Amino acid sequence: MSNKSIKLLIVGSNYSWSLENYFINYLTEMGVEIKLFPAQVLFYEYYYGKKINKFLYRLKLSKIERNINQLFNETVLLYNPTHIFVFKGMELTPKSLLWAKQRGIKLVNYNPDNPFIFSGKGSGNSNITKSIELYDSHFTYNLEIQKKLKEQHKVKTELLPFAFDISEELFEVCQKEKEVLKVCFLGNPDKLRASFIQSLANNGIEIDVYGNDWNKFVIHKNITSHPPVYEHEQWKTLRKYRVQLNLMRIHNLDSHNMRTFEIPCIGGIQLAPDTKEHQLFFEVDKEVFLYTTLEECVSKIDYLLSLATEQANKFRVFAREACLNKKHSYKDRALQVLEVLEKL
């Protein structure tokens, strides 16, 4: 299969955990010619390469942004893409994007964070906000962001939720895990998450947390802290606990996150905040369980922990089938991206 009408330059990173990898792999399968310009990698290699580099960058004495943009321009001239697909875009200046646009190249952006709320140094900068209207189309995971982009910035937008990517072979392995009749939260701590988990513990809920430095945020007899788990161990952990708690970050309190699909695709029983998007993706109290208050969360946990194994396994099957039947895989998301690129 080939798609000769599109010659795509993807701007982002190629770390093993990068979201870009899913789209590179599946769009390549669909016949799209792709070249990656690793802007984020170039920046991180500089920023974390030497201690002095951080200070130079913060004092605005560094040339790294100028160097990255110059290399970007050179790459565009050599590769001559029809479309440029920018993931987030913190490293590219509006000047560089405008230059590419004036060459007749279609510009598309996908920001897996909120372009209007920066919750940390790596979540956004002025390059993102100043470049919004330069793109021919935006992908966003969030309904509220989509509305704001359309109404305030008058730009084309497409809802592109997060998704899952797991092989049938790995699913079969994880399915054999012995169930742990407890609550689990898999993710790094912040003050908001720690406060909620501490409150659950105060209400008698035993919970295992996995992530970096949880013991610096919560100390309670009902909370057991574990180091982060990755790859196969992450999937096994998401599967084996009776209840997988999902907690939102400050920038997506009324949205969803990657765990929204990672938990059910492995057959996990998800307990998540009651958001518009969770209701949009899954049938409540069958494929996902939702809460609006601490008290409701405790009540739902008690209910799920009290279920007979046979009934719990039915909910696991419902969750898994929802991910497959409703086409929530990254392959499906890549097909959606391809359709937008073709229309442009």
Side-chain angles (χ1 to χ4, degrees):
M1 181 181 179
S2 64
N3 192 315
K4 294 181 179 179
S5 63
I6 296 174
K7 192 175 182 183
L8 186 63
L9 180 66
I10 289 183
V11 178
S13 68
N14 58 355
Y15 296 118
S16 61
W17 60 85
S18 298
L19 198 60
E20 292 90 315
N21 292 329
Y22 299 122
F23 293 93
I24 290 171
N25 293 340
Y26 287 119
L27 287 172
T28 299
E29 277 186 17
M30 295 170 190
V32 178
E33 182 181 348
I34 295 175
K35 181 178 179 62
L36 174 72
F37 178 73
Q40 188 183 76
V41 176
L42 294 172
F43 177 78
Y44 282 163
E45 285 179 348
Y46 167 83
Y47 190 77
Y48 295 107
K50 297 178 182 178
K51 287 184 178 180
I52 193 172
N53 290 351
K54 289 185 181 181
F55 295 106
L56 290 173
Y57 181 77
R58 291 171 183 172
L59 292 171
K60 298 184 178 180
L61 298 174
S62 167
K63 296 180 181 179
I64 184 60
E65 184 175 275
R66 186 178 71 181
N67 293 342
I68 289 174
N69 281 267
Q70 182 178 337
L71 187 57
F72 167 76
N73 291 357
E74 292 171 1
T75 302
V76 170
L77 288 173
L78 287 170
Y79 185 60
N80 194 28
T82 59
H83 301 68
I84 297 176
F85 189 10
V86 179
F87 281 75
K88 195 175 289 188
M90 291 176 64
E91 301 81 17
L92 293 188
T93 64
K95 182 180 178 181
S96 291
L97 289 169
L98 180 60
W99 171 82
K101 189 179 182 74
Q102 289 172 340
R103 292 180 60 82
I105 301 169
K106 299 298 182 182
L107 305 181
V108 181
N109 181 271
Y110 181 35
N111 193 338
D113 285 321
N114 192 317
F116 306 111
I117 301 174
F118 301 152
S119 56
K121 292 178 181 177
S123 65
N125 62 12
S126 62
N127 282 338
I128 287 177
T129 51
K130 291 178 180 178
S131 299
I132 287 174
E133 294 174 18
L134 292 174
Y135 289 97
D136 295 286
S137 188
H138 284 264
F139 291 109
T140 177
Y141 68 97
N142 183 300
L143 286 169
E144 288 301 313
I145 294 172
Q146 183 184 33
K147 182 180 179 182
K148 193 170 182 178
L149 286 168
K150 282 183 175 179
E151 293 181 355
Q152 294 187 17
H153 294 273
K154 311 299 181 184
V155 293
K156 292 181 181 178
T157 66
E158 294 277 341
L159 187 69
L160 188 70
F162 296 117
F164 75 91
D165 191 73
I166 183 173
S167 68
E168 187 67 30
E169 292 77 15
L170 182 54
F171 171 75
E172 293 295 336
V173 170
C174 294
Q175 193 175 210
K176 296 173 183 176
E177 286 290 304
K178 184 179 179 181
E179 185 178 55
V180 178
L181 202 61
K182 289 179 70 176
V183 179
C184 172
F185 176 72
L186 201 159
N188 288 326
D190 59 29
K191 290 182 180 180
L192 196 66
R193 289 173 165 180
S195 175
F196 192 83
I197 285 174
Q198 186 85 24
S199 297
L200 287 177
N202 291 339
N203 278 269
I205 301 298
E206 292 187 23
I207 181 166
D208 286 1
V209 293
Y210 290 79
N212 291 303
D213 301 322
W214 267 105
N215 54 0
K216 294 180 180 178
F217 282 79
V218 290
I219 297 176
H220 196 286
K221 65 178 183 179
N222 288 335
I223 301 173
T224 305
S225 298
H226 301 270
V229 285
Y230 302 102
E231 298 180 350
H232 285 25
E233 288 306 311
Q234 173 182 302
W235 289 112
K236 288 178 180 179
T237 303
L238 287 173
R239 166 73 193 200
K240 67 185 178 182
Y241 283 85
R242 170 62 65 87
V243 181
Q244 279 293 340
L245 185 65
N246 190 357
L247 299 173
M248 300 295 104
R249 292 281 198 182
I250 190 69
H251 61 271
N252 64 353
L253 292 177
D254 193 32
S255 183
H256 76 285
N257 56 22
M258 293 181 180
R259 290 285 184 265
T260 297
F261 298 102
E262 290 171 347
I263 294 170
C265 85
I266 199 66
I269 301 175
Q270 178 174 198
L271 179 58
D274 190 352
T275 70
K276 293 177 185 176
E277 290 164 33
H278 283 147
Q279 292 192 31
L280 176 67
F281 302 136
F282 298 107
E283 186 175 340
V284 181
D285 293 335
K286 179 181 178 181
E287 299 162 356
V288 69
F289 293 85
L290 305 177
Y291 65 88
T292 54
T293 64
L294 173 69
E295 291 74 22
E296 188 177 13
C297 184
V298 171
S299 177
K300 291 282 180 77
I301 288 171
D302 288 340
Y303 164 71
L304 292 170
L305 291 178
S306 70
L307 291 174
T309 301
E310 183 180 0
Q311 181 58 53
N313 286 340
K314 286 183 180 179
F315 287 134
R316 292 182 183 277
V317 172
F318 291 147
R320 167 78 174 171
E321 289 181 344
C323 283
L324 298 174
N325 296 338
K326 297 178 183 180
K327 299 187 181 299
H328 288 314
S329 74
Y330 275 111
K331 186 173 184 177
D332 296 310
R333 303 292 189 246
L335 183 59
Q336 182 184 347
V337 168
L338 179 58
E339 289 171 353
V340 170
L341 296 178
E342 289 175 335
K343 288 178 183 177
L344 289 176

